[in-house]
Amino acid sequence: MYISKSFIPILKNNPSEAKIKSHQLMLRVGMIKQSSTGIYSWLPLGFKVMKKIEQIVREEQNKIGAQEILMPTIQSSEIWKESGRYDDYGDEMLRIKDRQDREMLYGPTNEELVTDIFRSSIKSYKSLPQLLYHIQWKFRDEVRPRFGIMRCREFYMKDAYSFDVNDTEALFSYNKFFLSYLKTFKRLELTAIPMAADTGPIGGNLSHEFIILAETGESKIFTDKRIFDLSSEGSDIEKNSLEKLRKKYEQFYSVTDEKFNKEKFEKEVTKENRLITKGIEVGHIFYFGDKYSKPLNAAVDLAGGKKDFVKMGSYGIGVSRLVGAIIEAKYNEKDEIMKWPFSVAPYELAILPMINKNDNSTLEKATKIFKHLEKYDIDTIIDDTDENLSSKIKKFNLIGVPYQIIIGKKSEGDTLEFKEVGKEPKNLTIDQIIKILIKLKIKN
Ligand code: 5CA
């Protein structure tokens, strides 16, 4: 892809309406465009990043045995009346009437709809557990949409739902998602900490928010610093191992402000380990037993012949919010340098030729390298504009393409100037460069 033919509307300066760095950068490099309050179009650069994040989320869901489905964005009010949430949900729900005057709504979440799908087909404990997920647009008419796609009205979410025969099995499902979330965020190079959280309009009594630290985050958190040293390393998808993993995290005090208890915090955490700061909620998991299965009558036959309501949980990841969250975590605002994790970068490599008038040789060389790299499936963009090299490098530092090949005076003979964003360039052969990039692909 040549940048001259691509739709990447870069702005010269930071847009004044954006208050936080992710919003600024996303507008600056043309990843999104606001269409109305809290509603955005995703332009090619932003859409590519979001799709790559979505794929990682999907792979980690599949690994724990969750099955992907697709539900409609528009739902009927009937099932929401059955669960009793039609009135409870309030103004955040966008309510619509169709031409027959039927009450419809744009789904803010899908507990009711998925329970209806479940109850129509699953009748026996033998078919459990069922873990279903979808990756879909949701709409919440937020009172105060802000910070670009971080808190918007239409957003892209992975939402999963578990159905189990009893509490013990349901907690096993909960813990599978707990592990899956730690792994997902690690692949995105984020440190997301699970914190005991309130359940809000989703309901239930067990819940964790996964939070990444950021000054601009909207969640206030109180935590024991030692939780940052933990990892999911060595945990298997097996009951005891998963229970151990959750206990390992839960041994350290770590909560959002709704759950904060000053006395407990000061008793359990020594002064030097206390951390009170802000963070971004990138995921949220809930266990709510039969809160929805009971009113919606989703029951299965048990082994002894009796019937019981299934025990459910739901598990969300803000896929579109993650695009902003990664920027908040990785963007160096002062030097205007962004480096996307290789696994989700809009392009993996940029080829930046120094182009002189009346001399096409560097552009030809760039195109030849591009074609060669295509065979290795390396996602590459060529800057074919006639800007000088330093402004090309600056531009790609801002876009955050993690690697650059610079074809200028220093790329001579068999070697090319190869640069990792934010580091000093090296002279390497094309084979050496391919080796480095392939290794990063495998790692991901
Ligand atoms: N059905 C449950 C499953 S977890 C649910 O809806 N949970 S939620 O309300 O916590 O949302 C899940 C995730 O979606 C959040 O953790 C957050 O990352 C993302 N999210 C929620 N509201 C917004 C919003 N207004 N803008 C962007 N992302 C959002």
Side-chain angles (χ1 to χ4, degrees):
M1 171 61 88
Y2 293 113
I3 198 164
S4 65
K5 302 284 182 296
S6 62
F7 196 93
I8 307 179
I10 296 180
L11 305 173
K12 278 219 160 56
N13 297 306
N14 278 334
S16 58
E17 73 263 33
K19 302 270 180 303
I20 64 171
K21 54 185 177 178
S22 56
H23 192 196
Q24 282 167 6
L25 187 74
M26 290 182 82
L27 292 173
R28 175 96 182 264
V29 301
M31 295 176 79
I32 49 170
K33 183 183 183 310
Q34 183 170 336
S35 96
S36 61
T37 308
I39 302 180
Y40 290 84
S41 296
W42 288 75
L43 307 184
L45 212 58
F47 194 56
K48 276 189 90 173
V49 174
M50 187 164 75
K51 283 282 155 186
K52 287 187 177 182
I53 295 174
E54 176 186 345
Q55 186 52 22
I56 289 178
V57 170
R58 173 177 290 118
E59 284 167 17
E60 293 302 323
Q61 294 293 290
N62 294 344
K63 277 186 198 160
I64 57 164
Q67 306 159 76
E68 187 168 11
I69 59 174
L70 187 61
M71 290 180 265
T73 50
I74 306 289
Q75 304 179 19
S76 152
S77 62
E78 301 290 316
I79 40 171
W80 286 78
K81 286 179 182 159
E82 266 188 69
S83 75
R85 268 209 298 184
Y86 192 59
D87 293 326
D88 291 356
Y89 215 94
D91 289 342
E92 255 188 33
M93 183 188 277
L94 181 67
R95 296 154 206 258
I96 315 158
K97 279 205 174 142
D98 70 8
R99 61 166 77 192
Q100 260 93 32
D101 223 24
R102 275 187 296 243
E103 288 171 324
M104 314 290 284
L105 57 103
Y106 195 119
T109 177
N110 285 40
E111 281 78 10
E112 284 79 356
L113 195 54
V114 77
T115 307
D116 179 50
I117 293 170
F118 175 90
R119 72 179 172 185
S120 63
S121 300
I122 304 291
K123 306 287 180 198
S124 161
Y125 76 96
K126 288 182 191 157
S127 308
L128 301 182
Q130 285 290 333
L131 311 181
L132 301 174
Y133 74 98
H134 71 146
I135 305 177
Q136 181 60 282
W137 294 101
K138 305 222 163 159
F139 193 96
R140 293 180 187 172
D141 204 352
E142 298 273 352
V143 200
R144 223 152 56 94
R146 58 188 186 141
F147 300 154
I149 49 82
M150 291 295 230
R151 179 162 299 280
C152 48
R153 298 200 296 164
E154 190 183 37
F155 58 98
Y156 205 49
M157 196 211 286
K158 186 286 296 180
D159 216 345
Y161 305 88
S162 63
F163 302 85
D164 280 280
V165 68
N166 56 35
D167 281 330
T168 316
E169 292 303 315
L171 289 180
F172 180 27
S173 290
Y174 186 91
N175 292 342
K176 285 182 198 168
F177 284 98
F178 192 93
L179 171 71
S180 154
Y181 276 34
L182 291 172
K183 293 201 160 169
T184 304
F185 298 127
K186 188 163 178 239
R187 281 182 70 185
L188 298 172
E189 294 181 19
L190 292 174
T191 309
I193 301 298
M195 306 202 169
D198 226 21
T199 52
I202 307 290
N205 50 25
L206 172 65
S207 172
H208 286 88
E209 281 182 18
F210 287 75
I211 304 236
I212 66 160
L213 298 189
E215 265 312 305
T216 48
E218 291 186 289
S219 310
K220 193 159 186 208
I221 54 173
F222 301 83
T223 180
D224 186 324
K225 278 181 199 160
R226 288 173 296 173
I227 203 165
F228 290 92
D229 302 330
L230 303 179
S231 84
S232 64
E233 216 70 22
S235 301
D236 304 317
I237 309 171
E238 186 267 321
K239 246 182 210 153
N240 290 334
S241 172
L242 289 178
E243 209 175 298
K244 259 196 217 149
L245 174 72
R246 190 146 72 84
K247 284 212 173 104
K248 187 168 84 176
Y249 275 89
E250 284 176 342
Q251 70 179 303
F252 295 119
Y253 192 91
S254 186
V255 302
T256 58
D257 53 354
E258 303 99 353
K259 286 259 172 188
F260 180 59
N261 177 318
K262 190 165 183 276
E263 212 175 295
K264 203 163 177 246
F265 184 53
E266 288 173 1
K267 194 170 148 227
E268 286 181 21
V269 191
T270 57
K271 246 189 188 150
E272 61 279 13
N273 283 329
R274 282 179 210 157
L275 179 68
I276 302 176
T277 184
K278 284 184 179 161
I280 302 165
E281 179 201 322
V282 285
H284 200 163
I285 60 178
F286 300 82
Y287 177 56
F288 41 72
D290 58 11
K291 180 173 187 246
Y292 299 94
S293 55
K294 206 170 176 178
L296 287 161
N297 196 22
V300 292
D301 297 326
L302 304 179
K306 281 190 185 164
K307 245 179 158 34
D308 199 8
F309 300 115
V310 284
K311 305 292 182 284
M312 291 174 59
S314 72
Y315 316 87
I317 289 184
V319 177
S320 50
R321 179 180 284 182
L322 269 168
V323 180
I326 295 173
I327 297 174
E328 291 297 323
K330 308 281 174 199
Y331 179 40
N332 173 343
E333 200 179 10
K334 192 174 131 271
D335 301 326
E336 298 200 324
I337 294 181
M338 174 62 196
K339 186 177 174 222
W340 287 100
F342 193 77
S343 56
V344 299
Y347 290 96
E348 292 161 343
L349 176 76
I351 306 177
L352 313 179
M354 182 175 74
I355 298 173
N356 296 319
K357 275 191 191 117
N358 311 322
D359 177 13
N360 262 341
S361 63
T362 52
L363 184 57
E364 276 166 15
K365 192 168 174 181
T367 308
K368 222 169 127 194
I369 295 170
F370 178 91
K371 290 209 168 121
H372 187 57
L373 292 175
E374 253 183 340
K375 290 186 221 150
Y376 297 89
D377 203 21
I378 292 163
D379 200 358
T380 310
I381 185 163
I382 301 176
D383 192 336
D384 57 335
T385 62
D386 54 14
E387 288 166 33
N388 63 41
L389 263 186
S390 73
S391 53
K392 286 185 182 182
I393 293 172
K394 244 176 127 179
K395 176 170 48 183
F396 277 91
N397 283 352
L398 193 64
I399 294 175
V401 176
Y403 294 91
Q404 302 167 348
I405 287 177
I406 298 157
I407 306 179
K409 289 195 187 95
K410 286 183 198 146
S411 285
E412 273 168 9
D414 275 351
T415 65
L416 296 159
E417 207 183 342
F418 180 69
K419 192 172 175 312
E420 181 177 345
V421 165
K423 296 207 173 144
E424 285 303 309
K426 288 181 200 161
N427 269 60
L428 299 175
T429 65
I430 188 70
D431 288 341
Q432 287 171 318
I433 294 171
I434 290 171
K435 239 188 201 159
I436 292 172
L437 298 175
I438 296 280
K439 220 170 158 186
L440 285 163
K441 263 189 186 294
I442 293 169
K443 201 181 112 206
N444 287 301

